[in-house]
Amino acid sequence: MLDAALSQVAAAWRFARDPWWVIGSAAVWLHGVATTVADIDVLASARDAEAMIAAWPGAVTTGAAGARFRSHPFARLDGAALPVEVMADLEVRVDRRWQSVRPLTRVACRGVFVPDRAELATILRRFGRAKDLGRAAALDRRPG
């Protein structure tokens, strides 16, 4: 199911005008680390995210900022093999300050792009949730 969903993401984002990345659990999996993947998180520019949300053929649920994360826009896209969460201008709250999440590295993998292993682990540690810290540790334990 994950392979099918990644293919759908790659096809949907082929017209993106700016760099984009798969982050989160799907990116960890793409780096060869076994993990549970419930959805595919796509980080993109605001213009590409808005265009994707507008063109998505399935159901779209928009979201608001939370206590830990905020994104403008944020939407959950249903209708692919797995749900796709689209975010732009992603920020995470760390020590009472909002910090931008914008990868510097971009590695092609199975038709999509991910941050390199070290940067992905850094992003996950900054997210700070138990599941993210566990995934970061797993990336550190299994060198690419």
Side-chain angles (χ1 to χ4, degrees), residues 21 102-106 115-124:
W21 299 262
R102 180 78 176 168
L104 299 175
T105 59
R106 193 167 184 249
D116 73 20
R117 176 181 289 267
E119 184 174 28
L120 179 58
T122 298
I123 290 169
L124 292 168

Side-chain angles (χ1 to χ4, degrees), residues 28-121:
V28 172
W29 184 86
L30 285 164
H31 275 292
V33 175
T35 189
T36 303
V37 180
D39 57 30
I40 298 176
D41 299 315
V42 178
L43 180 59
S45 68
R47 73 175 170 180
D48 284 341
E50 289 166 0
M52 179 56 56
I53 292 165
W56 189 254
V60 174
T61 305
T62 56
R68 181 117 183 110
F69 299 97
R70 64 183 182 189
S71 169
H72 308 284
F74 170 83
R76 182 178 176 96
L77 311 179
D78 291 309
L82 287 175
V84 177
E85 293 190 347
V86 177
M87 54 204 86
D89 298 328
L90 177 63
E91 294 179 307
V92 59
R93 192 165 176 87
V94 179
D95 297 328
R96 296 190 216 160
R97 290 185 40 233
W98 289 103
Q99 295 181 4
S100 178
V101 177
R102 180 78 176 168
L104 299 175
T105 59
R106 193 167 184 249
V107 178
C109 187
R110 295 190 188 200
V112 300
F113 301 94
V114 295
D116 73 20
R117 176 181 289 267
E119 184 174 28
L120 179 58

